């Protein structure tokens, strides 16, 4: 009986180690495929070094579009993270409403899942490009024509990488994304707020 109890305890510990690692990997790493939980449960603690290695992968800027040169504008350099959720739409409207006459440069970024490949990756890239193109078309004339980027990787890492590359002054992101099935997870906003050395605006401006 004691041996059976120890065996059950070992199995539970194995499962817990793998599932906890998978939970961190999925929710914090930008990986939306829930099959990672099955992988974690099967591999147990062996999944820890695998998740750590994949978590170190750098974001990939897969589609960068810069508008034609225009007269330089003074003002804030602003990056807005978009995922098509109502919160990210409100964040962009807040920028348009409050900074229309003061923004010198605008960068719109959306992040895609690093796990998808081949046809699925192409389709996700297409959806991401359509999202950015539509957001660009709906911007008021007072804002500068934005640069747009589709980036594959961990959402917070991707946004921070673009912010560094473009040397922006302000990052803007909605407080909540679409959740586990979409690009920008709800905890990305808090992650950015803690990690960014630049100013971060979460959601709408106060009083807007």
């Amino acid at each position: 009986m004691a041996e059976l109890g120890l065996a059950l305890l070992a199995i539970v510990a194995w499962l817990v180690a793998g599932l906890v690692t998978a939970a961190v990997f999925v929710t914090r790493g930008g990986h939306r495929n829930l099959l990672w939980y099955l992988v974690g449960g099967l591999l147990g603690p062996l999944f820890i070094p695998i998740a750590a290695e994949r978590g170190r992968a750098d974001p990939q800027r897969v589609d960068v579009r810069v508008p034609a040169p225009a007269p330089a504008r003074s003002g804030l350099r602003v990056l807005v993270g978009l995922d098509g959720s109502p919160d990210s739409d409100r964040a962009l409207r807040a920028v348009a409403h409050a900074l229309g006459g003061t923004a010198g440069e605008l960068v719109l970024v959306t992040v895609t899942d690093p796990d998808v490949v081949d046809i699925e990756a192409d389709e996700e890239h297409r959806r991401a490009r359509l999202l950015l193109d539509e957001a660009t078309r709906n911007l008021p004339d007072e804002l500068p024509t934005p640069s747009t980027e589709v980036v594959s990787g961990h959402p917070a890492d991707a946004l921070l990488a673009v912010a560094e590359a473009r040397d922006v002054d302000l990052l803007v992101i909605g407080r909540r994304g679409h959740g586990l099935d979409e690009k920008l997870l709800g905890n990305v906003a808090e992650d950015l707020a803690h990690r960014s050395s630049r100013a971060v605006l979460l959601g709408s401006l106060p009083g807007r």
Side-chain angles (χ1 to χ4, degrees), residues 90-130:
R90 281 192 292 269
L92 181 57
R93 288 197 299 270
V95 169
H97 182 68
L99 303 178
T102 59
E105 182 180 349
L106 181 62
V107 185
L108 305 182
V109 181
T110 192
V111 185
T112 59
D113 186 353
D115 284 334
V116 297
V117 296
D118 299 329
I119 296 176
E120 188 178 357
D122 292 340
E123 178 62 21
E124 184 161 5
H125 179 195
R126 186 188 67 82
R127 289 195 298 266
R129 172 45 54 191
L130 288 174

Side-chain angles (χ1 to χ4, degrees), residues 84-168:
S85 68
D87 253 33
S88 77
D89 293 342
R90 281 192 292 269
L92 181 57
R93 288 197 299 270
V95 169
H97 182 68
L99 303 178
T102 59
E105 182 180 349
L106 181 62
V107 185
L108 305 182
V109 181
T110 192
V111 185
T112 59
D113 186 353
D115 284 334
V116 297
V117 296
D118 299 329
I119 296 176
E120 188 178 357
D122 292 340
E123 178 62 21
E124 184 161 5
H125 179 195
R126 186 188 67 82
R127 289 195 298 266
R129 172 45 54 191
L130 288 174
L131 170 67
L132 294 176
D133 290 345
E134 182 178 1
T136 299
R137 285 194 300 270
N138 293 329
L139 289 174
D141 295 336
E142 292 78 12
L143 284 171
T145 302
S147 301
T148 59
E149 299 203 18
V150 178
V151 187
S152 174
H154 177 288
D157 287 348
L159 294 173
L160 289 172
V162 177
E164 182 69 23
R166 304 303 298 267
D167 192 25
V168 302

Side-chain angles (χ1 to χ4, degrees), residues 13-207:
W14 181 277
L15 289 172
V16 168
L19 292 175
V20 169
T21 302
V24 173
F25 181 69
V26 169
T27 60
R28 304 291 289 184
H31 301 273
R32 303 200 309 276
N33 194 331
L34 298 185
L35 287 177
W36 284 115
Y37 286 102
L38 176 60
V39 175
L42 292 174
L43 295 182
L46 300 178
F47 186 52
I48 295 175
I50 297 172
E53 180 63 30
R54 288 186 65 93
R56 285 195 291 268
D58 293 332
Q60 300 297 314
R61 299 165 71 188
V62 298
D63 186 348
V64 179
R65 300 190 184 181
V66 180
R73 295 176 47 150
S74 61
L76 289 174
R77 296 184 297 274
V78 182
L79 183 154
V80 183
L82 300 175
D83 70 347
S85 68
D87 253 33
S88 77
D89 293 342
R90 281 192 292 269
L92 181 57
R93 288 197 299 270
V95 169
H97 182 68
L99 303 178
T102 59
E105 182 180 349
L106 181 62
V107 185
L108 305 182
V109 181
T110 192
V111 185
T112 59
D113 186 353
D115 284 334
V116 297
V117 296
D118 299 329
I119 296 176
E120 188 178 357
D122 292 340
E123 178 62 21
E124 184 161 5
H125 179 195
R126 186 188 67 82
R127 289 195 298 266
R129 172 45 54 191
L130 288 174
L131 170 67
L132 294 176
D133 290 345
E134 182 178 1
T136 299
R137 285 194 300 270
N138 293 329
L139 289 174
D141 295 336
E142 292 78 12
L143 284 171
T145 302
S147 301
T148 59
E149 299 203 18
V150 178
V151 187
S152 174
H154 177 288
D157 287 348
L159 294 173
L160 289 172
V162 177
E164 182 69 23
R166 304 303 298 267
D167 192 25
V168 302
D169 303 304
L170 175 66
L171 285 79
V172 182
I173 184 175
R175 286 185 177 275
R176 295 179 179 85
H178 274 310
L180 288 178
D181 292 333
E182 297 297 338
K183 287 92 176 167
L184 296 180
L185 307 183
N187 61 4
V188 171
E190 299 301 329
D191 198 4
L192 281 176
H194 285 93
R195 293 173 54 193
S196 177
S197 60
R198 304 165 193 273
V200 177
L201 172 63
L202 306 182
S204 299
L205 293 168

